[in-house]
Amino acid sequence: MSHRDSICGKDVDLIVAGNALRRLASGMSAHGAHACEVFIALKAAGDGSAPIPIKCPEKAWAVAGALGLDADGKSVEQICVEIADRFIDDLQRALPKHHDTLFALAPKERSELWQRLGIIPISAYHECFESNNLTSHGTDSDFESHMQAFLRTVLAYAYTTVVSTSLATDIVYGLPRRSKLNVNLGSIRKDNCINIGINGHAPMVAFAICDIVGTPKIMEKVKAVGAEDIRLYGMCCTGGEFVERDLGIPLVAMASSAEMAVATGAFEAIVVDQQDVLPGMMPVARRFHTKVITTSPSGRKEGAIVLELDYYLKNLDRIYELAEEILDIAIENYRNRDSEKIHIPDIRAKVELGFSVEEIARLFDGSMPEKKIHGLARLLEEGKIRGIVNFGSCGNIRGAVFERNQVIIARQLIKNDVLVTAHGCSGMGLLFAGLAHPDASKLCGPGLRELVEALQIPPVLHVGACTDSTRASQVMAYTANAAGQPNPAMPFAMVAADPAAEKTMGARYAFILNGIETYSCVQDNTLASDRFIDYVSNRLRRMVGAAMNWNPDPYQTSEDILRMLDRKREALGWPVSDYVIGTKEEIEETIPDTVEIGKSCCMNG
């Protein structure tokens, strides 16, 4: 027996492939739980089983059209139920069936390729079930079979737990709106204000709290305990959902920095649901008067107050009562505040947000019905911008403390005329670094600087939470459509510099299967298998036109991306200009003073 074999006969390649598949399935389960809640909210809003308003009916009609639903003579509520049923079916069915969502929403060139490769999923639930079955004791022992299941699961992740989720969220909770805001810990108000952090992913309770927090009934309770105001603050992806919709809620932490926000001592309550809420929050909260309240049976924390939507959703019709109970706890806890323990660092950045696909299409001569963004295609063809690169993933402090790698790469790219989109926690790192504001134009190359100054937009367009990678992929696909090219031919890339959570496995490979080269600085636990590395770094490029690229050095990664973008441009016959890699002194030691630029922005802190 080879030293590379296990006692049961599995070699290292099969073990690595099986572990990667299970990690992927776990991440899909996490996003799937988020998706399930959003779909249930959409259906409840349509059938009236819960008092959830439909905030963007026009998006419902657009999604219905994309899905091919017959809308004649139907109300928006009826259409919302039909959309929800379609999404839920693709999420959970066991029997093989035409995958309606995937074929309706994916580029035709891609879906036809995936069919030829035999990787169309049955449903997210089924692929998760099969991933665990296939890798269980004594079941599948064929590397190629493992990898085929891996690719099926990536597509189930992408189109069932991400694309559908983002669309449904926009219908129920509203499209992003352009806004200006302060972000980071310096946005927290210190005096005479009841502060509540909202952390997690699931939107139902979070948005219910947002809907009622400023009502006269709540404000009367606030005044009764001696406070002047009550404010919500976003953390992680719920924070990303809030800031995109111009709700006046500052973003103060990503997943990896939420404990730092709690450690300010300024919060009466932290309201959490599921995913990316690290258990280390609890011992930090216990050092202050802060109460942690859990709202999801999937995301309880030992020692926290439990006020949640029932596991069977029997209390969904009471969602606003639940939201008020949560606010009551925070309001009453204000009496226990110790001002001597409150320390808020004076760090904040000003940002401009709200870049939906619809807004980007408006800015760049696009047509949503045609699925084309003509202006971006022209800018690429003319060489005014070198390429479009999306940033998205959780943060991983093993690779770099608080998004250092992401910020370095983003700064190198905008210096070389690359337009950046960003979402999720890595997007938040770019917000905190001051890159999502028009003032960052001084960090751009001449072509990008001219563009952002003319349109008064940031060089980094923040498109939302982690599931809003949908928006970034749509911007790329619509730009490719306008240029008359498939995704793999275009100067596009995806960066997940420091992946951490299991969900980032699906996010990265979803972009790859859509033909977008993807780059990371932190390696998954797959280095032991040369066969796995060859598959994802070389074979996938031959199969789908893109692959995974790893390099621990963010400066080298930046150059790798720029070189790849130029190869794509040269192949298309588009002009290619020299690029310049900035020095460590320039890129890392001259980041704008976010305290000062924050103070000149707005008065939300």
Side-chain angles (χ1 to χ4, degrees), residues 232-422:
L232 304 181
Y233 301 86
M235 301 176 180
C236 194
C237 279
T238 296
E241 299 284 9
F242 283 157
V243 295
E244 280 299 307
R245 292 177 168 84
D246 192 21
L247 301 173
I249 300 174
L251 179 68
V252 296
M254 61 192 85
S256 57
S257 62
E259 292 154 276
M260 295 175 65
V262 180
T264 64
F267 285 94
E268 275 59 58
I270 304 291
V271 183
V272 306
D273 46 74
Q274 54 179 305
Q275 301 167 41
D276 293 326
V277 182
L278 304 183
M281 179 182 290
M282 293 306 299
V284 178
R286 283 194 288 270
R287 291 182 172 270
F288 303 95
H289 74 300
T290 305
K291 295 184 182 297
V292 177
I293 304 168
T294 63
T295 64
S296 169
S298 300
R300 293 178 181 171
K301 307 295 174 191
E302 190 165 347
I305 298 168
V306 176
L307 273 175
E308 63 192 22
L309 287 175
D310 176 77
Y311 184 75
Y312 301 98
L313 295 178
K314 291 182 292 188
N315 62 341
L316 185 57
D317 60 333
R318 295 184 55 250
I319 192 166
Y320 284 101
E321 294 172 44
L322 180 66
E324 187 170 349
E325 288 181 60
I326 291 167
L327 290 174
D328 285 346
I329 290 172
I331 292 168
E332 191 58 34
N333 195 34
Y334 179 74
R335 304 178 194 273
N336 299 316
R337 173 184 284 217
D338 182 350
S339 60
E340 295 298 314
K341 286 188 173 183
I342 298 176
H343 299 283
I344 299 172
D346 192 17
I347 52 170
R348 57 182 173 178
K350 60 181 180 181
V351 296
E352 291 200 13
L353 302 143
F355 291 97
S356 63
V357 184
E358 290 84 351
E359 174 63 10
I360 293 172
R362 186 190 68 80
L363 286 166
F364 293 100
D365 183 27
S367 166
M368 291 299 290
E370 293 180 352
K371 297 184 178 180
K372 292 181 178 180
I373 302 180
H374 302 285
L376 284 179
R378 282 196 298 271
L379 289 164
L380 286 169
E381 291 176 31
E382 294 166 1
K384 293 289 181 66
I385 58 176
R386 186 185 300 266
I388 301 173
V389 176
N390 179 59
F391 282 67
S393 78
C394 302
N396 188 336
I397 58 174
R398 179 167 70 96
V401 176
F402 300 122
E403 311 305 319
R404 170 181 172 268
N405 287 340
Q406 306 272 11
V407 173
I408 290 170
I409 297 169
R411 287 201 59 181
Q412 297 280 20
L413 294 180
I414 64 174
K415 176 184 173 67
N416 288 284
D417 296 320
V418 175
L419 180 66
V420 169
T421 59

